Structure formats: structure tokens, C-alpha cells
Amino acid sequence: MKRLAVLLSGRGSNFEAIADAVAAERIPDAEIVAVISDVPGAAGLGRARERGLPAHAVDRRRFASRSEHEAEILRILEAARPDVICLAGYMRVLSPEFVAKFPRRILNIHPALLPKFPGLHAQRRALEAGETMSGCTVHFVDEGTDTGPAILQRTVPVLPGDTEESLSERILVEEHAAYPEAIRRVLSGAEKGR
Ligand code: GRF
């Protein structure tokens, strides 16, 4: 069995899409071995508990520094021994030291067609730039913010009258298909990143 860990900070809809895909064997021979959140009240963490998955709150406020916070997350990951770590709305930038421990084994999903619009408020910035296409990107995490090699993208049209909310919802539907598919590819060894 391939072992997946998920890091999240909020709602957790991408985590749920991954968990559903694992349960339905659309990601074959895989299990979720840890769900970790820096936000103890994150809805996604509650959903993980409801599913009976190992859920860990690692409250950033309990740690004096990023390195101490990451050390606690590392301790959990070393015990869980994941093959792949999925960032699913994890709202902290991981240190280069942390990323270097898991080369090509940390994935992230971003609500834009990278390399366009890395960072926060990607959907709003795509609208403001007058883009006619947007979408999402699943990519390997490197030491930059949303800069690592892409695994796959799914596109959506930007429609007249779109708001940040309506565009975000349209992209989110594609995110929920894209993330499981990207994980499946990575676990199958087919995907080395472009
Ligand atoms: C998604 O839009 C994802 O692309 C971005 O953060 C959001 C997380 O949503 N990185 P959720 O917590 O998975 O529902």
C-alpha cells in the first residue's frame, strides 16, 4: 500500500476529494496515514476524524518558531512514513530544509494556471488581469512558493460577470478531479514532473 499524508489549514474539500478517491480505489492501493493541520479548528481536521483517519492538530501558536513547528510535523511524518505528502489548502510556506527532506514527494494544488498567479488570491488576480481562461495546477513543491514542476493542469473558462466567488467555485470542481488524478500518476511512477 502507498501511504499518503495530507496537510491542511481550512475547509479541506481537496482532502475530502482525495479521501473519497482512496476509498473508491480511484487512487489504487493507497491509504491516508496522517492528516495534519496547523489550525486546530480547521473543518478539514474534523472531517478527517469523522472518517476515522489519524488527525493531528499542530497549532502554530504553540511553537516559538517555524523550525520548532516543522520539527513537530516531521516527528508525526516520520512515524507515519508517507510515500507522498499532499498540501491541500495548507496556508504556510514550508522551509527549504523541510522540503529538501522529501524531494519530489510533496505535492500542492494551486487555483491558477501556474506559472501565472502564484501566491494568494490567485482567482481574484486572474479576474483583474482580464484572463479568459483559468484553472488549477497540481505541482511538486520546491523551495519557492508555487514554483515547482507541474504534474497536471485543468482549465476552466472565465465567464462574463464572473466574481471571485463564482470563478473559485468553478475552479474548485476541477481541483477535486485534478488532485486525485495527479496523486494516482505520481504513485504509479509515471509522473516525474515537467
Ligand atoms: C484551494 O482553492 C486550493 O487550490 C488552495 O487552497 C484552497 C483549499 O481549499 N491551495 P480546501 O481547503 O481544499 O477546500
Side-chain angles (χ1 to χ4, degrees), residues 72-151:
E72 176 64 11
I73 293 173
L74 275 174
R75 199 187 58 72
I76 294 166
L77 291 175
E78 276 159 17
R81 294 179 290 105
D83 295 291
V84 167
I85 299 165
C86 303
L87 308 186
Y90 186 67
M91 298 305 288
R92 291 185 184 279
V93 176
L94 296 169
S95 69
E97 295 75 26
F98 187 104
V99 171
K101 289 186 195 295
F102 304 97
R104 296 252 165 175
R105 288 169 54 207
I106 310 178
L107 275 54
N108 182 44
I109 188 155
H110 184 72
L113 298 175
L114 293 171
K116 286 186 169 176
F117 311 112
L120 293 174
H121 309 301
Q123 302 97 325
R124 185 198 308 168
R125 284 157 50 223
L127 270 181
E128 286 169 356
E131 298 287 319
T132 57
M133 295 292 287
S134 187
C136 62
T137 305
V138 184
H139 64 94
F140 289 109
V141 171
D142 66 8
E143 51 296 328
T145 300
D146 303 322
T147 52
I151 298 162

Side-chain angles (χ1 to χ4, degrees), residues 10-15 88-89 91 108-111 123 172 175:
R11 181 176 58 181
S13 70
N14 278 288
F15 152 65
M91 298 305 288
N108 182 44
I109 188 155
H110 184 72
Q123 302 97 325
L172 193 64
E175 293 186 35

